[in-house]
Amino acid sequence: MTEPDIGSDPVHLKMRFKKKGNSYILTGTKYLISNAGIATDIIVFAHDSNKRISAFIINAEDDKILKEDMVAKMGMHTTNTGMFELKNLEIPKHNLLGKYGDGWNIA
């Protein structure tokens, strides 16, 4: 859930999604994510143009996801922490976790 500049405040999420046929397009950055560098799947929260939050399951090994491990941190040096960026990442509609707009309840 955590993003640069807003932390973990779901009301101000900057990651967005839009529906396109039988898929969703996601754009945004997640930051300070535990196990981001070693995860094979991730759950991402994003909002649509009406500010409804939905959750999505994403294959973290997709070549279109830009990932970076964060090694310079104050504490928990042995815990993998990272960030990832989605730039118009297209995922199938069945990757929606729960119902459309139900991300707030899932979080």
Side-chain angles (χ1 to χ4, degrees), residues 52-83:
R52 289 179 294 187
I53 299 172
S54 291
F56 302 90
I57 300 172
I58 297 175
N59 179 352
E61 297 172 338
D62 189 314
D63 293 339
K64 296 175 186 165
I65 297 175
L66 303 172
K67 296 194 311 186
E68 181 179 332
D69 281 338
M70 303 176 76
V71 293
K73 51 190 174 183
M74 292 290 289
M76 298 180 65
H77 297 287
T78 59
T79 301
N80 179 276
T81 307
M83 63 174 283

PDB file of all heavy atoms in Angstrom, residues 52-83:
ATOM      1  N   ARG A  52     -12.555   5.086  -6.407  1.00  0.00           N
ATOM      2  CA  ARG A  52     -12.895   3.796  -5.811  1.00  0.00           C
ATOM      3  C   ARG A  52     -11.645   2.927  -5.812  1.00  0.00           C
ATOM      4  O   ARG A  52     -11.003   2.759  -6.846  1.00  0.00           O
ATOM      5  CB  ARG A  52     -14.012   3.117  -6.585  1.00  0.00           C
ATOM      6  CG  ARG A  52     -15.355   3.809  -6.404  1.00  0.00           C
ATOM      7  CD  ARG A  52     -16.425   3.121  -7.191  1.00  0.00           C
ATOM      8  NE  ARG A  52     -16.085   3.297  -8.616  1.00  0.00           N
ATOM      9  CZ  ARG A  52     -16.867   2.937  -9.608  1.00  0.00           C
ATOM     10  NH1 ARG A  52     -18.004   2.353  -9.375  1.00  0.00           N
ATOM     11  NH2 ARG A  52     -16.505   3.148 -10.856  1.00  0.00           N
ATOM     12  N   ILE A  53     -11.312   2.380  -4.656  1.00  0.00           N
ATOM     13  CA  ILE A  53     -10.104   1.573  -4.508  1.00  0.00           C
ATOM     14  C   ILE A  53     -10.429   0.113  -4.793  1.00  0.00           C
ATOM     15  O   ILE A  53     -11.416  -0.422  -4.300  1.00  0.00           O
ATOM     16  CB  ILE A  53      -9.523   1.717  -3.092  1.00  0.00           C
ATOM     17  CG1 ILE A  53      -9.147   3.179  -2.815  1.00  0.00           C
ATOM     18  CG2 ILE A  53      -8.309   0.814  -2.912  1.00  0.00           C
ATOM     19  CD1 ILE A  53      -8.742   3.449  -1.384  1.00  0.00           C
ATOM     20  N   SER A  54      -9.571  -0.513  -5.590  1.00  0.00           N
ATOM     21  CA  SER A  54      -9.672  -1.946  -5.863  1.00  0.00           C
ATOM     22  C   SER A  54      -8.315  -2.578  -5.590  1.00  0.00           C
ATOM     23  O   SER A  54      -7.289  -1.901  -5.562  1.00  0.00           O
ATOM     24  CB  SER A  54     -10.085  -2.204  -7.317  1.00  0.00           C
ATOM     25  OG  SER A  54     -11.420  -1.801  -7.537  1.00  0.00           O
ATOM     26  N   ALA A  55      -8.323  -3.886  -5.384  1.00  0.00           N
ATOM     27  CA  ALA A  55      -7.092  -4.642  -5.142  1.00  0.00           C
ATOM     28  C   ALA A  55      -6.865  -5.608  -6.303  1.00  0.00           C
ATOM     29  O   ALA A  55      -7.824  -6.157  -6.855  1.00  0.00           O
ATOM     30  CB  ALA A  55      -7.199  -5.410  -3.828  1.00  0.00           C
ATOM     31  N   PHE A  56      -5.598  -5.805  -6.641  1.00  0.00           N
ATOM     32  CA  PHE A  56      -5.236  -6.656  -7.769  1.00  0.00           C
ATOM     33  C   PHE A  56      -4.082  -7.569  -7.378  1.00  0.00           C
ATOM     34  O   PHE A  56      -3.185  -7.174  -6.628  1.00  0.00           O
ATOM     35  CB  PHE A  56      -4.798  -5.809  -8.964  1.00  0.00           C
ATOM     36  CG  PHE A  56      -5.833  -4.834  -9.415  1.00  0.00           C
ATOM     37  CD1 PHE A  56      -5.876  -3.554  -8.891  1.00  0.00           C
ATOM     38  CD2 PHE A  56      -6.774  -5.196 -10.362  1.00  0.00           C
ATOM     39  CE1 PHE A  56      -6.847  -2.646  -9.295  1.00  0.00           C
ATOM     40  CE2 PHE A  56      -7.747  -4.295 -10.776  1.00  0.00           C
ATOM     41  CZ  PHE A  56      -7.777  -3.013 -10.239  1.00  0.00           C
ATOM     42  N   ILE A  57      -4.086  -8.770  -7.903  1.00  0.00           N
ATOM     43  CA  ILE A  57      -2.961  -9.693  -7.742  1.00  0.00           C
ATOM     44  C   ILE A  57      -2.124  -9.590  -9.009  1.00  0.00           C
ATOM     45  O   ILE A  57      -2.641  -9.715 -10.115  1.00  0.00           O
ATOM     46  CB  ILE A  57      -3.446 -11.139  -7.536  1.00  0.00           C
ATOM     47  CG1 ILE A  57      -4.311 -11.227  -6.281  1.00  0.00           C
ATOM     48  CG2 ILE A  57      -2.263 -12.097  -7.462  1.00  0.00           C
ATOM     49  CD1 ILE A  57      -4.990 -12.556  -6.096  1.00  0.00           C
ATOM     50  N   ILE A  58      -0.831  -9.371  -8.816  1.00  0.00           N
ATOM     51  CA  ILE A  58       0.071  -9.162  -9.950  1.00  0.00           C
ATOM     52  C   ILE A  58       1.253 -10.109  -9.844  1.00  0.00           C
ATOM     53  O   ILE A  58       1.807 -10.311  -8.760  1.00  0.00           O
ATOM     54  CB  ILE A  58       0.573  -7.704  -9.974  1.00  0.00           C
ATOM     55  CG1 ILE A  58      -0.600  -6.755 -10.177  1.00  0.00           C
ATOM     56  CG2 ILE A  58       1.618  -7.497 -11.049  1.00  0.00           C
ATOM     57  CD1 ILE A  58      -0.225  -5.314 -10.093  1.00  0.00           C
ATOM     58  N   ASN A  59       1.660 -10.665 -10.966  1.00  0.00           N
ATOM     59  CA  ASN A  59       2.866 -11.486 -11.033  1.00  0.00           C
ATOM     60  C   ASN A  59       4.070 -10.553 -10.934  1.00  0.00           C
ATOM     61  O   ASN A  59       4.341  -9.779 -11.843  1.00  0.00           O
ATOM     62  CB  ASN A  59       2.892 -12.281 -12.340  1.00  0.00           C
ATOM     63  CG  ASN A  59       4.125 -13.125 -12.487  1.00  0.00           C
ATOM     64  OD1 ASN A  59       5.062 -13.038 -11.706  1.00  0.00           O
ATOM     65  ND2 ASN A  59       4.118 -13.972 -13.496  1.00  0.00           N
ATOM     66  N   ALA A  60       4.794 -10.625  -9.830  1.00  0.00           N
ATOM     67  CA  ALA A  60       5.923  -9.728  -9.590  1.00  0.00           C
ATOM     68  C   ALA A  60       7.095  -9.999 -10.516  1.00  0.00           C
ATOM     69  O   ALA A  60       8.022  -9.186 -10.597  1.00  0.00           O
ATOM     70  CB  ALA A  60       6.379  -9.834  -8.132  1.00  0.00           C
ATOM     71  N   GLU A  61       7.063 -11.113 -11.218  1.00  0.00           N
ATOM     72  CA  GLU A  61       8.167 -11.460 -12.108  1.00  0.00           C
ATOM     73  C   GLU A  61       7.926 -10.980 -13.539  1.00  0.00           C
ATOM     74  O   GLU A  61       8.704 -11.281 -14.435  1.00  0.00           O
ATOM     75  CB  GLU A  61       8.406 -12.966 -12.053  1.00  0.00           C
ATOM     76  CG  GLU A  61       8.835 -13.407 -10.656  1.00  0.00           C
ATOM     77  CD  GLU A  61       8.897 -14.905 -10.487  1.00  0.00           C
ATOM     78  OE1 GLU A  61       8.238 -15.640 -11.255  1.00  0.00           O
ATOM     79  OE2 GLU A  61       9.613 -15.339  -9.576  1.00  0.00           O
ATOM     80  N   ASP A  62       6.871 -10.198 -13.748  1.00  0.00           N
ATOM     81  CA  ASP A  62       6.564  -9.623 -15.061  1.00  0.00           C
ATOM     82  C   ASP A  62       7.687  -8.659 -15.462  1.00  0.00           C
ATOM     83  O   ASP A  62       8.088  -7.800 -14.681  1.00  0.00           O
ATOM     84  CB  ASP A  62       5.226  -8.878 -15.001  1.00  0.00           C
ATOM     85  CG  ASP A  62       4.728  -8.453 -16.362  1.00  0.00           C
ATOM     86  OD1 ASP A  62       5.524  -7.906 -17.153  1.00  0.00           O
ATOM     87  OD2 ASP A  62       3.532  -8.647 -16.630  1.00  0.00           O
ATOM     88  N   ASP A  63       8.208  -8.814 -16.664  1.00  0.00           N
ATOM     89  CA  ASP A  63       9.313  -7.975 -17.144  1.00  0.00           C
ATOM     90  C   ASP A  63       8.946  -6.498 -17.252  1.00  0.00           C
ATOM     91  O   ASP A  63       9.822  -5.645 -17.316  1.00  0.00           O
ATOM     92  CB  ASP A  63       9.795  -8.456 -18.519  1.00  0.00           C
ATOM     93  CG  ASP A  63      10.449  -9.819 -18.456  1.00  0.00           C
ATOM     94  OD1 ASP A  63      10.888 -10.226 -17.358  1.00  0.00           O
ATOM     95  OD2 ASP A  63      10.523 -10.485 -19.500  1.00  0.00           O
ATOM     96  N   LYS A  64       7.658  -6.191 -17.262  1.00  0.00           N
ATOM     97  CA  LYS A  64       7.220  -4.808 -17.415  1.00  0.00           C
ATOM     98  C   LYS A  64       7.176  -4.053 -16.081  1.00  0.00           C
ATOM     99  O   LYS A  64       6.881  -2.873 -16.051  1.00  0.00           O
ATOM    100  CB  LYS A  64       5.851  -4.762 -18.076  1.00  0.00           C
ATOM    101  CG  LYS A  64       5.881  -5.306 -19.488  1.00  0.00           C
ATOM    102  CD  LYS A  64       4.490  -5.364 -20.074  1.00  0.00           C
ATOM    103  CE  LYS A  64       4.545  -6.053 -21.430  1.00  0.00           C
ATOM    104  NZ  LYS A  64       3.225  -6.452 -21.889  1.00  0.00           N
ATOM    105  N   ILE A  65       7.475  -4.745 -14.976  1.00  0.00           N
ATOM    106  CA  ILE A  65       7.512  -4.115 -13.663  1.00  0.00           C
ATOM    107  C   ILE A  65       8.949  -3.711 -13.359  1.00  0.00           C
ATOM    108  O   ILE A  65       9.855  -4.548 -13.382  1.00  0.00           O
ATOM    109  CB  ILE A  65       6.996  -5.066 -12.571  1.00  0.00           C
ATOM    110  CG1 ILE A  65       5.527  -5.419 -12.836  1.00  0.00           C
ATOM    111  CG2 ILE A  65       7.158  -4.427 -11.196  1.00  0.00           C
ATOM    112  CD1 ILE A  65       4.968  -6.439 -11.873  1.00  0.00           C
ATOM    113  N   LEU A  66       9.153  -2.440 -13.098  1.00  0.00           N
ATOM    114  CA  LEU A  66      10.478  -1.961 -12.710  1.00  0.00           C
ATOM    115  C   LEU A  66      10.631  -2.142 -11.208  1.00  0.00           C
ATOM    116  O   LEU A  66       9.832  -1.614 -10.430  1.00  0.00           O
ATOM    117  CB  LEU A  66      10.634  -0.483 -13.083  1.00  0.00           C
ATOM    118  CG  LEU A  66      10.423  -0.134 -14.549  1.00  0.00           C
ATOM    119  CD1 LEU A  66      10.422   1.372 -14.736  1.00  0.00           C
ATOM    120  CD2 LEU A  66      11.505  -0.770 -15.393  1.00  0.00           C
ATOM    121  N   LYS A  67      11.643  -2.917 -10.788  1.00  0.00           N
ATOM    122  CA  LYS A  67      11.847  -3.199  -9.367  1.00  0.00           C
ATOM    123  C   LYS A  67      13.227  -2.739  -8.938  1.00  0.00           C
ATOM    124  O   LYS A  67      14.169  -2.760  -9.717  1.00  0.00           O
ATOM    125  CB  LYS A  67      11.703  -4.697  -9.086  1.00  0.00           C
ATOM    126  CG  LYS A  67      10.327  -5.218  -9.368  1.00  0.00           C
ATOM    127  CD  LYS A  67      10.023  -6.590  -8.808  1.00  0.00           C
ATOM    128  CE  LYS A  67      11.014  -7.661  -9.058  1.00  0.00           C
ATOM    129  NZ  LYS A  67      10.573  -8.977  -8.615  1.00  0.00           N
ATOM    130  N   GLU A  68      13.307  -2.344  -7.668  1.00  0.00           N
ATOM    131  CA  GLU A  68      14.588  -1.926  -7.114  1.00  0.00           C
ATOM    132  C   GLU A  68      14.627  -2.281  -5.634  1.00  0.00           C
ATOM    133  O   GLU A  68      13.707  -1.955  -4.885  1.00  0.00           O
ATOM    134  CB  GLU A  68      14.761  -0.415  -7.285  1.00  0.00           C
ATOM    135  CG  GLU A  68      16.071   0.118  -6.770  1.00  0.00           C
ATOM    136  CD  GLU A  68      16.221   1.608  -6.984  1.00  0.00           C
ATOM    137  OE1 GLU A  68      15.627   2.149  -7.934  1.00  0.00           O
ATOM    138  OE2 GLU A  68      16.924   2.233  -6.184  1.00  0.00           O
ATOM    139  N   ASP A  69      15.685  -2.987  -5.217  1.00  0.00           N
ATOM    140  CA  ASP A  69      15.881  -3.258  -3.801  1.00  0.00           C
ATOM    141  C   ASP A  69      16.370  -2.000  -3.116  1.00  0.00           C
ATOM    142  O   ASP A  69      17.142  -1.222  -3.685  1.00  0.00           O
ATOM    143  CB  ASP A  69      16.909  -4.379  -3.597  1.00  0.00           C
ATOM    144  CG  ASP A  69      16.334  -5.761  -3.818  1.00  0.00           C
ATOM    145  OD1 ASP A  69      15.100  -5.910  -3.717  1.00  0.00           O
ATOM    146  OD2 ASP A  69      17.115  -6.690  -4.074  1.00  0.00           O
ATOM    147  N   MET A  70      15.932  -1.798  -1.890  1.00  0.00           N
ATOM    148  CA  MET A  70      16.353  -0.638  -1.106  1.00  0.00           C
ATOM    149  C   MET A  70      17.321  -1.153  -0.045  1.00  0.00           C
ATOM    150  O   MET A  70      16.906  -1.777   0.927  1.00  0.00           O
ATOM    151  CB  MET A  70      15.139   0.032  -0.487  1.00  0.00           C
ATOM    152  CG  MET A  70      14.117   0.453  -1.540  1.00  0.00           C
ATOM    153  SD  MET A  70      12.633   1.150  -0.852  1.00  0.00           S
ATOM    154  CE  MET A  70      13.255   2.756  -0.423  1.00  0.00           C
ATOM    155  N   VAL A  71      18.602  -0.913  -0.249  1.00  0.00           N
ATOM    156  CA  VAL A  71      19.605  -1.442   0.666  1.00  0.00           C
ATOM    157  C   VAL A  71      20.054  -0.424   1.707  1.00  0.00           C
ATOM    158  O   VAL A  71      20.527  -0.793   2.777  1.00  0.00           O
ATOM    159  CB  VAL A  71      20.831  -1.985  -0.113  1.00  0.00           C
ATOM    160  CG1 VAL A  71      20.440  -3.215  -0.918  1.00  0.00           C
ATOM    161  CG2 VAL A  71      21.425  -0.941  -1.022  1.00  0.00           C
ATOM    162  N   ALA A  72      19.925   0.855   1.424  1.00  0.00           N
ATOM    163  CA  ALA A  72      20.319   1.901   2.374  1.00  0.00           C
ATOM    164  C   ALA A  72      19.100   2.273   3.216  1.00  0.00           C
ATOM    165  O   ALA A  72      18.251   3.051   2.800  1.00  0.00           O
ATOM    166  CB  ALA A  72      20.844   3.123   1.627  1.00  0.00           C
ATOM    167  N   LYS A  73      19.022   1.660   4.404  1.00  0.00           N
ATOM    168  CA  LYS A  73      17.902   1.958   5.296  1.00  0.00           C
ATOM    169  C   LYS A  73      18.398   1.954   6.730  1.00  0.00           C
ATOM    170  O   LYS A  73      19.434   1.384   7.038  1.00  0.00           O
ATOM    171  CB  LYS A  73      16.756   0.973   5.087  1.00  0.00           C
ATOM    172  CG  LYS A  73      17.158  -0.473   5.120  1.00  0.00           C
ATOM    173  CD  LYS A  73      16.029  -1.376   4.680  1.00  0.00           C
ATOM    174  CE  LYS A  73      16.552  -2.808   4.602  1.00  0.00           C
ATOM    175  NZ  LYS A  73      15.572  -3.727   4.130  1.00  0.00           N
ATOM    176  N   MET A  74      17.652   2.578   7.592  1.00  0.00           N
ATOM    177  CA  MET A  74      18.079   2.768   8.984  1.00  0.00           C
ATOM    178  C   MET A  74      18.104   1.460   9.777  1.00  0.00           C
ATOM    179  O   MET A  74      19.032   1.193  10.496  1.00  0.00           O
ATOM    180  CB  MET A  74      17.158   3.771   9.682  1.00  0.00           C
ATOM    181  CG  MET A  74      17.281   5.180   9.161  1.00  0.00           C
ATOM    182  SD  MET A  74      18.822   5.953   9.604  1.00  0.00           S
ATOM    183  CE  MET A  74      18.587   6.197  11.347  1.00  0.00           C
ATOM    184  N   GLY A  75      17.067   0.681   9.688  1.00  0.00           N
ATOM    185  CA  GLY A  75      16.979  -0.520  10.509  1.00  0.00           C
ATOM    186  C   GLY A  75      16.587  -1.729   9.691  1.00  0.00           C
ATOM    187  O   GLY A  75      16.366  -1.647   8.487  1.00  0.00           O
ATOM    188  N   MET A  76      16.511  -2.859  10.351  1.00  0.00           N
ATOM    189  CA  MET A  76      16.102  -4.124   9.738  1.00  0.00           C
ATOM    190  C   MET A  76      16.889  -4.408   8.458  1.00  0.00           C
ATOM    191  O   MET A  76      16.327  -4.665   7.398  1.00  0.00           O
ATOM    192  CB  MET A  76      14.594  -4.131   9.488  1.00  0.00           C
ATOM    193  CG  MET A  76      13.794  -4.008  10.771  1.00  0.00           C
ATOM    194  SD  MET A  76      12.015  -4.008  10.544  1.00  0.00           S
ATOM    195  CE  MET A  76      11.738  -5.639   9.928  1.00  0.00           C
ATOM    196  N   HIS A  77      18.200  -4.371   8.572  1.00  0.00           N
ATOM    197  CA  HIS A  77      19.079  -4.542   7.413  1.00  0.00           C
ATOM    198  C   HIS A  77      18.926  -5.905   6.737  1.00  0.00           C
ATOM    199  O   HIS A  77      19.186  -6.029   5.544  1.00  0.00           O
ATOM    200  CB  HIS A  77      20.538  -4.332   7.823  1.00  0.00           C
ATOM    201  CG  HIS A  77      20.801  -2.949   8.318  1.00  0.00           C
ATOM    202  ND1 HIS A  77      20.853  -1.859   7.475  1.00  0.00           N
ATOM    203  CD2 HIS A  77      20.989  -2.467   9.572  1.00  0.00           C
ATOM    204  CE1 HIS A  77      21.086  -0.767   8.178  1.00  0.00           C
ATOM    205  NE2 HIS A  77      21.162  -1.110   9.454  1.00  0.00           N
ATOM    206  N   THR A  78      18.499  -6.906   7.485  1.00  0.00           N
ATOM    207  CA  THR A  78      18.384  -8.242   6.891  1.00  0.00           C
ATOM    208  C   THR A  78      17.034  -8.487   6.228  1.00  0.00           C
ATOM    209  O   THR A  78      16.840  -9.505   5.579  1.00  0.00           O
ATOM    210  CB  THR A  78      18.617  -9.331   7.959  1.00  0.00           C
ATOM    211  OG1 THR A  78      17.654  -9.172   9.012  1.00  0.00           O
ATOM    212  CG2 THR A  78      20.022  -9.246   8.520  1.00  0.00           C
ATOM    213  N   THR A  79      16.105  -7.562   6.376  1.00  0.00           N
ATOM    214  CA  THR A  79      14.788  -7.701   5.752  1.00  0.00           C
ATOM    215  C   THR A  79      14.815  -7.117   4.351  1.00  0.00           C
ATOM    216  O   THR A  79      15.217  -5.974   4.154  1.00  0.00           O
ATOM    217  CB  THR A  79      13.711  -6.980   6.586  1.00  0.00           C
ATOM    218  OG1 THR A  79      13.693  -7.540   7.891  1.00  0.00           O
ATOM    219  CG2 THR A  79      12.346  -7.120   5.951  1.00  0.00           C
ATOM    220  N   ASN A  80      14.380  -7.909   3.381  1.00  0.00           N
ATOM    221  CA  ASN A  80      14.321  -7.414   2.009  1.00  0.00           C
ATOM    222  C   ASN A  80      13.224  -6.362   1.911  1.00  0.00           C
ATOM    223  O   ASN A  80      12.078  -6.601   2.281  1.00  0.00           O
ATOM    224  CB  ASN A  80      14.041  -8.557   1.037  1.00  0.00           C
ATOM    225  CG  ASN A  80      13.955  -8.080  -0.387  1.00  0.00           C
ATOM    226  OD1 ASN A  80      12.910  -7.623  -0.822  1.00  0.00           O
ATOM    227  ND2 ASN A  80      15.049  -8.172  -1.107  1.00  0.00           N
ATOM    228  N   THR A  81      13.592  -5.187   1.434  1.00  0.00           N
ATOM    229  CA  THR A  81      12.654  -4.082   1.236  1.00  0.00           C
ATOM    230  C   THR A  81      12.914  -3.505  -0.142  1.00  0.00           C
ATOM    231  O   THR A  81      14.066  -3.412  -0.571  1.00  0.00           O
ATOM    232  CB  THR A  81      12.855  -2.988   2.305  1.00  0.00           C
ATOM    233  OG1 THR A  81      12.793  -3.591   3.595  1.00  0.00           O
ATOM    234  CG2 THR A  81      11.788  -1.928   2.206  1.00  0.00           C
ATOM    235  N   GLY A  82      11.873  -3.108  -0.824  1.00  0.00           N
ATOM    236  CA  GLY A  82      12.082  -2.574  -2.159  1.00  0.00           C
ATOM    237  C   GLY A  82      10.948  -1.699  -2.620  1.00  0.00           C
ATOM    238  O   GLY A  82      10.019  -1.381  -1.869  1.00  0.00           O
ATOM    239  N   MET A  83      11.049  -1.326  -3.867  1.00  0.00           N
ATOM    240  CA  MET A  83      10.010  -0.538  -4.503  1.00  0.00           C
ATOM    241  C   MET A  83       9.755  -1.112  -5.887  1.00  0.00           C
ATOM    242  O   MET A  83      10.601  -1.823  -6.425  1.00  0.00           O
ATOM    243  CB  MET A  83      10.400   0.927  -4.586  1.00  0.00           C
ATOM    244  CG  MET A  83      11.616   1.213  -5.440  1.00  0.00           C
ATOM    245  SD  MET A  83      11.933   2.965  -5.636  1.00  0.00           S
ATOM    246  CE  MET A  83      10.688   3.399  -6.838  1.00  0.00           C
TER     247      MET A  83
END
